[in-house]
């Protein structure tokens, strides 16, 4: 059931919560099948139905106490089943609106009681329990990516001991697995009926992109060509043996800012292939990326320059011409009948990043004259193409003229805002000169955190009522007095501004210009109202770019000097949202924003406010306590602040406030403050005296994610001390932490991997983690797209390998695990690279695993990283190279792949740990004569001689050993030369 929910069910965007099931035909079908399975479970499997779950399934119910009849003890506020588990607890318990169910029998009876509400109850249950099998059987049966070994482990356990409960679990697991397969097969039928690309649609898009490609500065691509000129009768250019896989054609695309891209267009969408095979007139058909709905969506993700030029047209709102649908439905082919497996590109879980919906899948017919969308016109690329009629161009000019006038004027007067007409610069023309000047600069930069504008809602789709509601409010926002403006702002905040429809509605109807102009008034209420809206909608990538282009950042930086604290805080939060791309950060820096923002923390520390914050932690008012703890949470990133909190006696009241677990907002602030304060070792010692670790472990269950992130973060810091790692084990915290590895919240995963990794440094803890399959869960997180999660998981794997019994065999048992970790060496993130090198250092200690990773190409990948200035990466890279030299001809390969000369430069680093690791690597590499020559040519002897006298014995020996090898080679050469 977990796999179907994770892979087949359609969920809303989670945001800060867990997301909900969308109301779609597919979800409704899945829910009905699950309901039927549960309803029939009691009659078909009576013994298994009586099995008590490991933990209750818990959710908010719409059922009242009165609907429960025979078999239940009912009071006004609670209901409990007469049936009880071995522990004496009821198998069903309803308190207030919270329902807890602990057996299939009770679930079956509940659905019968719910009657017409059963669909809603099933939905609520699954939303609250995203992986129900964990609650039913335990965390070791959780749904994870990759190879699922839980059944094999269970089978081994059944063989070892004749335990009826283990046998029962195995049967339930098989039944749930069977249900999963049924749900996944059912979902395939629904998915296969979605619209797909066809040859005509691809051809239209290719021709359209060709019209806007060339050598010009504002063109979207340099070139775009088919790999084959031959077209089959069905319109495909792919060879027949590839057409059976749904492939249509192959393209070579040359963007302005990346290497050429070789892509496959298939009925499932567009993806990157392996490119031209060396020495062969053929291509590598294997898929190398996710699948995108069309070529434009693919290129937006791959080419910043393409996305930049496409984004220029986002600031006008034009109706897109109505196209004839040029997509077709794909028929479901029964794999059993055809004797072939279904197309892996159509149905695998990572296939499609965005579903192709009929409302947005409009293309012209192939025999119709191609005309670009009005949206394309705004890129400035259509001047040389005569696809727009004179009438359309004239209409566009008229609309642009009308949009430049907004029926209100905002004046900087204390008296208020007048309703005179004012000229507001159109969004597309505001600040454009500055933006175009930065294009060449920003496209040449290669920082990892540069974002790309994401997809947006097309102009001709069916829009929900919220869109039109915001449009009605706009006239009051644009043309009212100050009071009407404030009311309009408040009404606008009543909409769900986290929803993309509402965000784009505000952009499309010209409200962004008004909101930004409101910031430049002296009306505090209007400024606050505007910032509250901008803070919410600036979560959208496109809107962030528009705010920056309209000059919003400059105004918000000025607001940081305002005497009004609420106004300053809102401005700072909005700046934080907008400044997620380089141009925005540059703007903030150029206008003095950086100096203003750190000044807040500095002022809190230097003006004696920490002492007052600490005193008020003991206040009788919970809200005041919450704000004080939250302020400490934000400021305790600085070591000086952490020390001041300790010196003023703030750690004890924070420890006491952990006892107030009912107030979740207060608990989130307090646990956050403890987390940041625990970064300092002195504070951890004080927390240990106050029994904070025990309290934190006790709070690990039944908490919202924002609280869990802080609790686990605090435990991760506290577990840097050995005694606290033992405390966590004795308090039963390790199973709960391992269970949290199956979550989806990225911040929580970063912290929980760090906590599990810290605990794994103790052998006794490692035994528990291994028994709960924690290492496999950590390894599966290496597939997470978030580099922070990847890095944290890789760091956690290091102590697991170091402290596990028979670590080599454990690592080999993860199917595809070694290849996965080697491929992460292609990451652009320095922390990921350092952590993976550290993991490889540990993996390479086992000879068999070293042989495997060598076959997966670890040596050239490590060599490519050698030219780095990052000392953290240098250290772990050198250690990995040192250990990898122990197999076959790896030493020689490192020399051939140019890894030796850069390593010599590492000896000039100021970090002693880099010297130690590098000397060991050079010693191992010096066993090869050619490497000795390279080292000598790069001046290694002089650098190593200085290190022979080091107090570090390991460094001494490695340096001396390397010099000895070089000297021996020199002597042998002289002897051969002169006899």
């Amino acid at each position: 059931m977990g796999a179907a929910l994770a892979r087949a069910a359609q969920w809303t965007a989670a945001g800060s919560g867990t997301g909900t099931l969308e109301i779609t035909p597919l979800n409704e079908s899945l829910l009905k099948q699950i309901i039927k399975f549960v309803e029939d479970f009691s009659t078909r499997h009576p013994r298994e139905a009586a099995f008590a779950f490991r933990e209750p399934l818990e959710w908010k119910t719409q059922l009242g106490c009165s609907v429960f009849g025979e078999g239940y003890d009912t009071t006004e506020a609670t209901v409990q089943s007469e049936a009880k588990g071995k522990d004496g607890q009821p198998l069903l318990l309803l308190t207030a609106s919270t329902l807890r169910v602990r057996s299939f029998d009770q679930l079956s009876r509940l659905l019968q009681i719910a009657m017409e509400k059963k669909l809603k109850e099933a939905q609520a249950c699954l939303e609250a329990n995203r992986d129900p099998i964990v609650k039913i059987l335990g965390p070791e049966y959780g749904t994870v990516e990759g190879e699922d070994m839980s059944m094999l482990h269970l089978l081994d356990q059944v063989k070892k001991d004749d335990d009826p409960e283990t046998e029962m679990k195995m049967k339930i697991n098989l039944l749930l697995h069977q249900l999963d397969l049924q749900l996944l097969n059912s979902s395939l039928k629904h998915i296969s009926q979605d619209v797909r690309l066809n040859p005509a649609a691809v051809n239209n898009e290719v021709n359209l992109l060709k019209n806007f490609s060339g050598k010009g500065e504002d063109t979207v691509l340099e070139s775009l060509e088919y790999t084959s000129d031959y077209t089959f009768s069905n319109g495909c250019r792919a060879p027949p043996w590839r057409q059976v896989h749904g492939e249509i054609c192959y393209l070579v695309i040359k963007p302005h800012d990346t290497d050429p891209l070789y892509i496959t267009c298939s009925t499932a969408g567009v993806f990157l292939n392996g490119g031209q095979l060396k020495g062969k007139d053929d291509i590598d058909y294997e898929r190398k990326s996710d699948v995108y709905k069309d070529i434009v969506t693919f290129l937006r993700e791959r080419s910043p320059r393409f996305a930049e030029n496409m984004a220029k047209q986002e600031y006008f709102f034009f109706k897109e011409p109505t196209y004839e649908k040029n997509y077709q439905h794909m028929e479901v082919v029964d794999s059993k009948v055809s004797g072939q497996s279904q197309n892996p590109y159509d149905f695998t879980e990572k296939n499609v990043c965005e579903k192709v919906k009929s409302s947005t899948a409009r293309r012209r017919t192939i025999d119709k004259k191609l005309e670009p969308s009005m949206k394309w016109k705004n890129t400035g690329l259509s001047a040389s193409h005569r696809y727009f009629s004179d009438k359309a161009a004239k209409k566009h000019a008229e609309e642009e003229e009308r949009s430049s006038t907004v029926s209100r004027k905002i004046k900087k007067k204390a008296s208020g805002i007048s309703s005179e007409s004012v000229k507001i610069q159109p969004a597309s023309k505001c600040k454009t000169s500055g933006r175009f000047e930065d294009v060449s600069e920003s496209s040449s930069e290669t920082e990892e955190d540069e974002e790309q504008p994401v997809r947006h809602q097309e102009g001709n789709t069916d829009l929900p009522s919220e869109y039109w509601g915001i449009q009605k409010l706009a006239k009051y926002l644009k043309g009212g007095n100050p009071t009407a403006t404030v009311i309009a702002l408040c009404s606008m905040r009543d909409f769900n501004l986290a929803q993309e429809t509402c965000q784009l509605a505000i952009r499309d109807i010209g409200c962004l210009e008004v909101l930004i102009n409101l910031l430049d008034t002296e009306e505090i209420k209007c400024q606050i109202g505007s910032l509250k809206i901008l803070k919410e909608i600036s979560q959208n990538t496109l809107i962030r770019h528009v705010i920056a282009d309209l000059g919003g950042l400059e105004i918000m930086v000025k607001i940081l000097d305002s005497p009004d604290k609420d106004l300053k805080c809102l401005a700072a939060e909005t700046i934080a949202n907008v400044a997620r791309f380089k141009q925005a950060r540059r703007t903030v820096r150029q206008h003095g924003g950086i100096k203003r923002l750190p000044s807040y923390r500095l002022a809190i520390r230097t003006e004696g406010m920490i002492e007052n914050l600490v005193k008020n932690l003991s206040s009788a008012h919970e809200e005041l306590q919450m704000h004080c703890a939250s302020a400490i949470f934000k400021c305790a990133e600085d070591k000086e602040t952490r020390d001041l909190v300790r010196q003023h006696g703030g750690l004890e009241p924070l420890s006491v406030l952990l006892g107030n677990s009912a107030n979740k907002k207060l608990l989130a602030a307090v646990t956050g403050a403890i987390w940041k304060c625990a970064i300092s070792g002195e504070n951890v010692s004080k927390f240990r005296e106050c029994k904070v670790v025990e309290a934190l472990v006790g709070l690990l269950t039944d908490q919202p994610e924002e609280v869990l992130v802080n609790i686990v973060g605090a435990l991760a810091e506290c577990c840097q001390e050995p005694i606290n790692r033992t405390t966590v084990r004795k308090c039963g915290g390790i199973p709960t932490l391992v269970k949290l590895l199956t979550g989806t919240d990225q911040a929580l995963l970063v912290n929980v991997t760090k906590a599990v990794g810290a605990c794994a440094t103790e052998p006794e803890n490692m035994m528990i983690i291994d028994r709960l399959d924690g290492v496999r869960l950590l390894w599966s997180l290496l597939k997470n797209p978030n580099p922070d999660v990847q890095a944290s998981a890789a760091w956690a794997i290091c102590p697991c390998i170091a402290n596990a019994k028979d670590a080599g065999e454990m690592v080999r048992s993860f199917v595809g695990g070694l290849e996965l970790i080697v491929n992460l060496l292609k990451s652009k993130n320095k922390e990921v690279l350092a952590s993976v090198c550290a993991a490889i250092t540990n993996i390479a200690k086992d000879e068999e695993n070293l042989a495997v990773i060598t076959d997966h190409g670890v040596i050239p990948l490590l060599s490519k990283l050698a030219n780095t200035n990052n000392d953290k990466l240098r250290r772990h890279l050198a250690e990995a190279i040192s250990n990898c030299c122990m197999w076959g001809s790896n030493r020689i390969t490192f020399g051939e792949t140019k890894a030796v000369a850069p390593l010599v430069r590492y000896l000039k680093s100021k970090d002693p740990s880099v010297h130690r690791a590098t000397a060991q690597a050079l010693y191992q590499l010096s066993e090869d004569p050619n490497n000795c020559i390279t080292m000598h040519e790069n001046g290694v002897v002089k650098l190593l001689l200085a290190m022979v006298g080091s107090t570090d014995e390991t460094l001494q020996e490695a340096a001396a050993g390397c010099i000895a090898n070089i000297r021996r080679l020199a002597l042998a050469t002289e002897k051969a030369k002169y006899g």
Side-chain angles (χ1 to χ4, degrees):
M1 194 161 21
L5 291 175
R7 300 170 188 171
Q10 297 163 336
W11 296 85
T12 60
S16 60
T18 56
T20 58
L21 285 165
E22 293 180 344
I23 307 302
T24 63
L26 172 58
N27 282 352
E28 189 172 340
S29 171
L30 295 177
L31 284 172
K32 286 178 178 176
Q33 290 178 68
I34 292 169
I35 288 169
K36 187 175 188 311
F37 172 85
V38 174
E39 284 180 332
D40 296 342
F41 200 91
S42 291
T43 53
R44 297 178 65 181
H45 313 285
R47 286 183 64 250
E48 289 73 23
F51 174 79
F53 297 165
R54 177 81 164 266
E55 290 179 38
L57 296 176
E58 181 178 332
W59 71 93
K60 296 292 182 183
T61 182
Q62 297 179 3
L63 301 177
C65 297
S66 58
V67 300
F68 293 86
E70 186 179 353
Y72 297 93
D73 296 327
T74 308
T75 65
E76 288 183 3
T78 64
V79 175
Q80 62 179 18
S81 63
E82 293 175 356
K84 292 180 169 54
K86 292 178 181 178
D87 55 1
Q89 297 297 314
L91 295 175
L92 181 145
L93 178 64
L94 172 61
T95 53
S97 61
T98 302
L99 187 60
R100 296 178 179 85
V101 183
R102 296 178 57 207
S103 74
F104 278 108
D105 183 59
Q106 290 298 323
L107 279 175
S108 179
R109 295 184 65 181
L110 178 72
L111 290 174
Q112 293 169 15
I113 292 168
M115 298 174 67
E116 71 275 7
K117 293 182 180 178
K118 65 174 69 174
L119 202 65
K120 287 287 183 185
E121 289 299 309
Q123 181 179 348
C125 175
L126 294 174
E127 285 172 354
N129 304 275
R130 291 284 287 265
D131 198 359
I133 197 168
V134 171
K135 296 281 187 75
I136 295 169
L137 299 177
E140 59 270 29
Y141 300 92
T143 304
V144 294
E145 292 291 337
E147 187 82 357
D148 187 358
M149 307 294 287
S150 59
M151 189 63 71
L152 293 176
H153 293 162
L154 190 58
L155 187 59
D156 288 340
Q157 199 172 341
V158 171
K159 289 179 179 177
K160 287 177 185 175
D161 51 51
D162 189 16
D163 182 10
E165 186 174 342
T166 306
E167 190 175 345
M168 180 83 72
K169 281 186 177 182
M170 185 172 182
K171 187 167 183 183
I172 292 173
N173 197 12
L174 285 168
L175 291 169
L176 292 174
H177 181 67
Q178 190 177 1
L179 173 63
D180 247 341
L181 292 176
Q182 177 188 328
L183 295 175
L184 289 169
N185 285 333
S186 174
S187 68
L188 290 182
K189 293 179 181 179
H190 281 269
I191 292 168
S192 63
Q193 290 166 6
D194 284 352
V195 290
R196 302 287 187 215
L197 286 176
N198 68 11
V202 172
N203 193 55
N204 283 355
E205 192 173 16
V206 169
N207 289 336
L208 188 60
L209 283 167
K210 278 185 176 180
N211 289 326
F212 297 106
S213 300
K215 296 292 184 182
E217 184 179 342
D218 291 333
T219 56
V220 293
L221 298 168
E222 273 191 28
S223 65
L224 177 146
E225 299 295 340
Y226 289 109
T227 59
S228 170
D229 293 329
Y230 183 78
T231 306
F232 290 89
S233 58
N234 60 359
C236 293
R237 295 171 187 256
W241 61 89
R242 298 305 303 174
Q243 290 182 34
V244 297
H245 296 289
E247 293 176 8
I248 297 169
C249 65
Y250 312 99
L251 298 169
V252 181
I253 300 176
K254 292 185 179 177
H256 290 290
D257 53 352
T258 69
D259 293 333
L261 302 171
Y262 295 84
I263 69 168
T264 298
C265 297
S266 73
T267 55
V270 176
F271 57 86
L272 196 68
N273 61 44
Q276 190 79 29
L277 291 171
K278 289 183 180 179
K280 295 183 180 180
D281 190 19
D282 203 355
I283 64 171
D284 178 0
Y285 297 107
E286 185 180 351
R287 179 162 63 90
K288 304 295 184 182
S289 73
D290 288 335
V291 182
Y292 298 82
K293 69 173 185 178
D294 53 32
I295 301 170
V296 170
T297 305
F298 171 85
L299 288 171
R300 281 183 187 276
E301 290 290 323
R302 293 280 168 170
S303 167
R305 176 77 172 275
F306 180 89
E308 184 74 30
N309 283 341
M310 289 296 292
K312 294 174 191 174
Q313 51 84 28
E314 298 295 343
Y315 312 134
F316 284 133
F317 185 74
F318 288 94
K319 264 194 174 181
E320 190 149 19
T322 304
Y323 307 145
E324 293 181 22
K325 290 182 183 176
N326 215 357
Y327 287 80
Q328 64 186 13
H329 289 271
M330 299 296 294
E331 295 182 4
V332 184
V333 180
D334 191 335
S335 58
K336 292 181 181 177
V337 175
S338 65
Q340 296 179 352
S341 62
Q342 296 190 12
N343 184 356
Y345 298 139
D346 284 351
F347 302 128
T348 52
E349 62 183 286
K350 293 187 177 177
N351 273 351
V352 185
C353 292
E354 298 180 41
K355 291 187 178 179
V356 185
K357 296 184 180 178
S358 60
S359 60
T360 58
R362 298 189 174 109
R363 298 287 185 275
R364 295 181 183 82
T365 51
I366 195 165
D367 53 0
K368 189 177 178 182
K369 184 179 179 182
L370 294 175
E371 295 182 0
S373 157
M374 290 292 282
K375 288 181 179 288
W376 280 79
K377 182 174 181 180
N378 299 312
T379 60
L381 304 174
S382 58
S384 60
H385 309 288
R386 305 190 178 278
Y387 294 114
F388 290 105
S389 66
D390 293 337
K391 184 177 179 181
K394 185 178 179 182
K395 181 180 178 184
H396 168 229
E398 290 172 356
E399 288 181 359
E400 180 176 340
E401 179 64 29
R402 283 201 302 274
S403 69
S404 66
T405 303
V406 178
S407 61
R408 65 170 299 160
K409 183 177 182 181
I410 302 171
K411 290 186 175 180
K412 285 189 173 182
K413 290 183 178 179
S415 58
I417 305 173
S418 73
S419 58
E420 299 173 31
S421 177
V422 65
K423 289 277 184 179
I424 294 181
Q425 209 170 1
S428 62
K429 301 197 175 184
C430 253
K431 309 281 178 186
T432 50
S433 60
R435 177 127 190 220
F436 285 122
E437 287 169 8
D438 285 342
V439 166
S440 60
E441 179 187 346
S442 63
S443 65
S444 66
E445 297 177 19
T446 56
E447 290 186 21
E448 297 148 19
D449 55 352
E450 179 65 5
E451 65 176 9
Q452 306 301 332
V454 294
R455 67 178 180 84
H456 61 283
Q457 193 163 338
E458 298 293 341
N460 206 27
T461 56
D462 297 329
L463 298 170
S465 58
E466 289 88 350
Y467 188 95
W468 308 115
I470 289 176
Q471 192 174 54
K472 288 176 185 176
L473 276 178
K475 61 181 180 182
Y476 298 105
L477 191 63
K478 293 177 181 178
N481 56 36
T483 304
T485 301
V486 171
I487 293 171
L489 289 169
C490 293
S491 301
M492 194 170 284
R493 286 196 66 221
D494 289 337
F495 287 93
N496 180 10
L497 296 179
Q499 187 178 343
E500 188 183 31
T501 302
C502 297
Q503 294 168 352
L504 297 182
I506 291 171
R507 182 201 66 177
D508 295 341
I509 59 183
C511 280
L512 272 178
E513 295 94 330
V514 180
L515 290 171
I516 289 170
N517 277 303
L518 283 173
L519 299 180
D520 213 13
T521 70
E522 293 179 0
E523 285 290 327
I524 298 293
K525 290 181 179 178
C526 291
Q527 287 177 307
I528 288 175
S530 175
L531 279 172
K532 284 184 175 179
I533 293 170
L534 289 170
K535 185 184 82 169
E536 295 294 328
I537 64 175
S538 58
Q539 302 290 343
N540 184 293
T541 304
L542 292 174
I543 288 178
R544 286 200 286 270
H545 282 266
V546 181
I547 291 172
D549 287 340
L550 290 173
L553 283 169
E554 293 92 322
I555 301 172
M556 286 186 275
V557 168
K558 290 179 185 176
I559 290 174
L560 294 175
D561 290 328
S562 168
D564 189 287
K565 290 182 181 179
D566 290 337
L567 193 59
K568 287 196 291 188
C569 289
L570 283 168
E573 288 179 286
T574 311
I575 289 171
N577 286 345
V578 177
R580 294 184 187 176
F581 60 103
K582 285 192 287 288
Q583 181 192 334
R585 291 194 290 275
R586 190 181 303 120
T587 302
V588 174
R589 184 178 66 250
Q590 289 170 348
H591 288 81
I594 303 296
K595 294 178 182 177
R596 289 178 171 94
L597 287 168
S599 66
Y600 292 132
R601 281 186 190 168
L602 182 63
I604 288 172
R605 190 172 70 243
T606 56
E607 297 299 324
M609 292 175 67
I610 297 294
E611 185 176 3
N612 292 325
L613 291 172
V614 168
K615 284 180 181 177
N616 286 316
L617 287 174
S618 303
S619 166
H621 300 285
E622 289 188 355
E623 188 174 359
L624 178 58
Q625 290 175 324
M626 184 264 291
H627 286 303
C628 290
S630 183
I632 293 172
F633 179 19
K634 301 294 183 187
C635 296
E637 295 279 358
D638 304 321
K639 185 181 187 304
E640 294 87 348
T641 302
R642 296 196 293 270
D643 293 341
L644 285 171
V645 173
R646 182 182 69 256
Q647 290 161 12
H648 290 299
L651 302 182
E652 293 89 341
L654 284 172
S655 306
V656 171
L657 286 172
L658 286 175
N660 189 354
S661 58
N663 187 334
K664 299 302 180 185
K665 287 186 177 179
L666 174 59
L667 188 60
V670 169
T671 51
I674 290 174
W675 171 18
K676 297 303 178 184
C677 287
I679 296 171
S680 294
E682 301 93 330
N683 292 347
V684 173
S685 299
K686 192 68 179 176
F687 282 139
R688 187 175 68 249
E689 294 172 14
C690 299
K691 306 290 184 185
V692 166
V693 174
E694 292 89 334
L696 289 171
V697 172
L699 291 170
L700 276 173
T701 53
D702 300 323
Q703 301 295 346
E705 282 185 345
E706 61 175 332
V707 176
L708 271 178
V709 169
N710 296 343
I711 292 172
V712 177
L715 284 172
E717 296 299 338
C718 290
C719 284
Q720 301 307 310
E721 287 193 358
I723 190 169
N724 289 332
R725 297 195 284 265
T726 304
T727 304
V728 170
R729 182 183 74 247
K730 290 180 177 177
C731 293
I734 292 178
T736 311
L737 288 172
V738 171
K739 178 181 174 183
L740 290 174
L741 290 171
T742 61
T744 56
D745 184 274
Q746 303 297 295
L748 178 57
L749 287 174
V750 170
N751 285 352
V752 76
T753 46
K754 185 176 181 181
V756 171
C759 289
T761 56
E762 299 288 328
E764 290 183 43
N765 292 354
M766 185 55 219
M767 288 173 64
I768 301 172
I769 294 168
D770 191 20
R771 189 171 68 245
L772 295 171
D773 226 4
V775 185
R776 181 173 63 89
L777 294 175
L778 283 171
W779 216 286
S780 70
L781 289 175
L782 296 175
K783 299 178 184 178
N784 191 293
N786 187 326
D788 294 334
V789 177
Q790 290 175 347
S792 190
W795 286 123
I797 285 169
C798 296
C800 290
I801 296 173
N803 293 285
K805 277 188 175 181
D806 197 8
E809 182 59 36
M810 177 188 73
V811 170
R812 285 192 294 279
S813 71
F814 305 138
V815 179
L818 290 172
E819 184 179 8
L820 171 63
I821 206 159
V822 168
N823 283 335
L824 281 177
L825 290 172
K826 299 172 185 176
S827 172
K828 297 291 191 294
N829 186 288
K830 294 290 191 295
E831 190 69 18
V832 172
L833 293 173
S835 61
V836 170
C837 285
I840 287 172
T841 301
N842 286 279
I843 291 167
K845 290 175 182 177
D846 180 271
E847 193 176 64
E848 285 187 49
N849 289 337
L850 176 55
V852 173
I853 62 175
T854 299
D855 290 342
H856 286 310
V858 73
I859 306 303
L861 289 172
L862 289 173
S863 299
K864 280 184 180 179
L865 302 177
N867 289 299
T868 179
N869 295 320
N870 185 298
D871 274 347
K872 188 175 185 179
L873 176 54
R874 280 176 164 184
R875 173 194 166 187
H876 294 290
L877 175 59
E879 289 175 349
I881 289 173
S882 177
N883 283 8
C884 286
C885 284
M886 305 296 186
W887 175 258
S889 59
N890 285 356
R891 288 187 182 88
I892 299 169
T893 309
F894 276 125
E896 292 171 348
T897 51
K898 311 297 182 187
V900 178
L903 278 175
V904 175
R905 295 194 289 272
Y906 291 11
L907 296 175
K908 297 177 182 178
S909 168
K910 295 180 180 179
D911 187 345
S913 64
V914 174
H915 297 163
R916 178 176 179 164
T918 304
Q920 289 177 300
L922 290 172
Y923 171 56
Q924 292 297 332
L925 290 166
S926 66
E927 298 288 337
D928 176 60
N930 290 325
N931 291 343
C932 286
I933 295 168
T934 305
M935 291 178 200
H936 192 271
E937 289 172 349
N938 284 273
V940 76
V941 175
K942 185 178 179 181
L943 295 168
L944 287 175
L945 279 171
M947 294 176 184
V948 171
S950 170
T951 55
D952 184 335
E953 290 185 7
T954 305
L955 175 56
Q956 269 185 11
E957 291 177 6
C962 185
I963 293 171
N965 285 339
I966 294 171
R967 180 63 183 150
R968 272 193 289 271
L969 177 65
L971 290 172
T973 305
E974 288 180 12
K975 187 175 181 180
K977 188 174 182 180
Y978 302 110

